[in-house]
Amino acid sequence: MTPLLSVKDLTKSYGAHVGCRDVALDLFPGEVLGIVGESGSGKTTVLNCMAGQLVPDQGRVVFDTRTDGRGDVLRMSEPERRMLGRTDWAFVHQNARDGLRMGVSAGGNVGERLMAVGARNYGRIRDTAEDWLTRVEINAARIDDRPTTFSGGMQQRLQIARNLVTGPRLVFMDEPTGGLDVSVQARLLDLLRGLVRDMGLSAIIVTHDLAVVRLLADRLLVMKSGEVVEHGLTDQVLDDPQHGYTQLLVSSVLQV
Amino acid sequence: MSAYSFAYLDDQTKRMIRRAILKALAIPGYQVPFASREMPMPYGWGTGGVQVTAAVLTPNDCLKVIDQGADDTTNAVSIRAFFAKTAGVATTTRTKEATVIQTRHRIPETALSEDQILVYQVPIPEPLRFLEPRETETRRMHALEDYGLMHVKLYEDIARHGHIATAYAYPVMVEGRYVMDPSPIPKFDNPKLSGNPAIQLFGAGREQRIYALPPWCEVASLDFEDHPFYPSKADAACGLCGAEDSYLDEVIVDDAGGRIFVCSDTDYCEDRQAQGHRGKDAA
C-alpha cells in the first residue's frame, strides 16, 4: 500500500531557534495520525509545513493527489497548492474564527469551497450546505445565521462542515477541541470519529490533549524540542511509553 | 494658454498615465497601479477619471462629461469647464458628437462607436474589497483566479433577499479571466460593457488604479445557473420622452408625494423629445 502522505527530513528553523528537525512520517489512506507534545515542541510547525502554509528549510512532503498521482507539495506551484487546499485537503484551525468567515452566513461558509471549485447552482449549493449542517448536528434552520451568533462548539462544528463539504481525503487538524468545555469536546470528538470513519478520511491531528488522540488516532507521534522522540500505535505508546518524555507526558494526565 | 501644459498635466505625468493605460488595455480587467497626482478637486469627485481623460485628450477631441447620466449636474459642468479652460477642446452634451466621454456611474443609452473613448470615474476599483480587506490577499486572489469568494457574496444576497440584490457595481468577469468592478454603474448598464466598440477606461484616483476594456471585449456578469443575471430598471416609461428601454430616475415633483420617472441620460431624453416623442408627464 502506498502512503497518502509521506514526509521526509522535514526541518524548519526560525533563525537560531529550531522549529522542527528531521521529522519523517507516513500516513496511509484511512488512517488517523496524532501528533502530541508540549507547547513549543514543534507540532504546529510540522503541521503548517505539511499543509503548505509554511515553507520548511528542507525536506519532502509527497502527497498522492487524486488527479496527478504522487507529487512533492513543496515543489508545486501556488495555484496547484491552493487547488489541493480546496479539494483534497482540509484544515481545521484551533480557533474557529480563523477558519470561518464571520461576516458570512453559515450556508455561505459551507458553500464557499463548492463555489471555489466551480459550483454555480444556488439551489444545489444550498441543499448541500443544509445536508452538511445536519451532519454536524447544527439545526438546518440556522443556515442563514452568521457564525457570530453560534456558540464555540457550534462554530467549531461549522468549521468542520465547511472543510469536509468538498469530500477531502486528508484533514489537518490543529487542536480541534482546544478552548471548548469538556462536554462539548466529547460531542465534537464523537462527531469527528463518526465522520472520519464514514468518509474514510485520513487525518493528522495535532493536540496536547492525550484523551483526544486516544479516541481518534490510530498511530501516535510524540514530539519534544522539535524532534520526534517516540512513535507507534496509540495504545502502545500511551500504555507502555518508552521515552522519558512520553512517560512524563502520560503520567501528567490527571486521573479523575 | 502657454502657461499651462495642454490638458493640465505635465508631460512626464501623461507619459506615466498613458503607459498605465496601454498596459491596462493589454490585460483587460487587470488593475494597473499608477502614481495618481493631486488634482484641483477633492477625492471622490473624479480625480482618477480626470487624469485618464487628460492623458488621452488631443486638441481635436470633443469632450462630453456626464454625472449619473446628466450633462447639467455640478460635477459634469465643472469637469467640462476645467478641460475647456486647460485644454481648449470643444465640448458637447451630445453623445454622438463626442470623441471622449467622461462618465460617473452611467453608460450612455446611445450606442457608442469605434472612434469614441469612455472614461469612468471609479471610487473603489477592487471588487473583492468588502469581502477581503487585505490588498496583498486580493492581489493574490486575482493572480490565482481564486474567485470563490465573489460568488459567496452573491449567495449571501440570495439567501437574505431571495434574489441577487446587488443593483450597482455588479461584478463582472472579463474575457474569462479577471473579475472586475465596473464602477458603480447600475446593473442595467452591465450588458453594454460587453462587445462595446468604444475603448473603455477606468480611473481610480484615490486608490491609484487604472483598468480598461479594449473594444469588443467579452464581459460577463457573474450569476448562478438558477438565479441568472437580470439587468433591472424601474418598471415604467420615461415621463418626458416615453422611452421604455432607458434607465430611469425617480423624481419627486411636489410636496404631495407626486413622482415621475425620467430618463437618467439627459441627452438621450432630449434627443427623443426633439424627434417628437412625448411621455405621459410631458408639459
Side-chain angles (χ1 to χ4, degrees), chain A residues 98-111:
Chain A
D98 295 338
L100 291 173
R101 294 199 182 277
M102 299 308 281
V104 168
S105 71
N109 265 297
V110 178

Side-chain angles (χ1 to χ4, degrees), chain A residues 76-96:
Chain A
M76 280 181 191
S77 65
E78 180 76 25
E80 286 176 307
R81 231 187 344 251
R82 282 220 171 188
M83 197 59 194
L84 263 189
R86 291 198 291 255
T87 53
D88 272 354
W89 287 1
F91 197 106
V92 177
H93 293 263
Q94 171 175 8
N95 191 340

Side-chain angles (χ1 to χ4, degrees), chain B residues 168-188:
Chain B
Y168 66 95
Y170 192 102
V172 293
M173 172 69 88
V174 180
E175 289 286 338
R177 175 59 183 86
Y178 283 101
V179 165
M180 187 189 92
D181 184 334
S183 87
I185 59 172
K187 67 177 171 183
F188 175 80

Side-chain angles (χ1 to χ4, degrees), chain A residues 4-127:
Chain A
L4 183 67
L5 184 80
S6 172
V7 176
K8 293 209 168 51
D9 311 326
L10 199 69
T11 300
K12 168 80 185 171
S13 50
Y14 303 99
H17 174 74
V18 176
C20 63
R21 183 189 295 150
D22 294 337
V23 174
L25 61 89
D26 282 326
L27 181 75
F28 291 88
E31 188 181 37
V32 178
L33 179 73
I35 303 179
V36 294
E38 61 192 359
S39 298
S41 61
K43 311 180 296 271
T44 303
T45 300
V46 171
L47 192 75
N48 286 337
C49 284
M50 286 190 292
Q53 301 193 346
L54 262 184
V55 181
D57 300 332
Q58 51 171 299
R60 284 160 57 80
V61 178
V62 176
F63 179 72
D64 192 6
T65 62
R66 221 180 307 208
T67 44
D68 308 321
R70 291 162 63 81
D72 191 340
V73 173
L74 303 172
R75 288 188 179 75
M76 280 181 191
S77 65
E78 180 76 25
E80 286 176 307
R81 231 187 344 251
R82 282 220 171 188
M83 197 59 194
L84 263 189
R86 291 198 291 255
T87 53
D88 272 354
W89 287 1
F91 197 106
V92 177
H93 293 263
Q94 171 175 8
N95 191 340
R97 287 167 179 268
D98 295 338
L100 291 173
R101 294 199 182 277
M102 299 308 281
V104 168
S105 71
N109 265 297
V110 178
E112 180 177 348
R113 274 169 78 109
L114 292 171
M115 292 183 255
V117 295
R120 292 290 179 264
N121 187 303
Y122 176 81
R124 277 205 291 275
I125 291 168
R126 201 169 167 82
D127 290 346

Side-chain angles (χ1 to χ4, degrees), chain B residues 87-219:
Chain B
V89 293
T91 59
T92 182
T93 59
R94 301 180 58 84
T95 305
K96 279 200 171 63
E97 290 168 8
T99 53
V100 177
I101 303 171
Q102 180 171 334
T103 175
R104 174 174 173 269
H105 308 182
R106 271 317 304 279
I107 299 176
E109 304 290 354
T110 312
L112 303 175
S113 65
E114 264 179 353
D115 45 15
Q116 289 179 312
I117 299 176
L118 189 59
V119 179
Y120 296 78
Q121 301 172 195
V122 182
I124 310 245
E126 178 53 72
L128 304 163
R129 177 59 68 235
F130 293 109
L131 304 162
E132 173 54 66
R134 290 166 295 180
E135 176 70 14
T136 46
E137 189 56 29
T138 54
R139 281 208 209 185
R140 188 173 295 133
M141 290 160 82
H142 282 296
L144 301 174
E145 289 185 72
D146 196 353
Y147 290 136
L149 199 52
M150 202 72 246
H151 271 88
V152 172
K153 178 176 186 280
L154 301 180
Y155 170 94
E156 289 288 289
D157 256 11
I158 303 174
R160 196 166 310 154
H161 305 288
H163 60 99
I164 299 179
T166 305
Y168 66 95
Y170 192 102
V172 293
M173 172 69 88
V174 180
E175 289 286 338
R177 175 59 183 86
Y178 283 101
V179 165
M180 187 189 92
D181 184 334
S183 87
I185 59 172
K187 67 177 171 183
F188 175 80
D189 281 343
N190 269 22
K192 297 184 216 161
L193 292 164
S194 189
N196 199 314
I199 295 174
Q200 300 176 75
L201 305 174
F202 298 77
R206 181 185 48 209
E207 304 287 324
Q208 313 201 320
R209 294 288 184 278
I210 287 173
Y211 50 104
L213 297 173
W216 310 110
C217 183
E218 188 202 321
V219 179

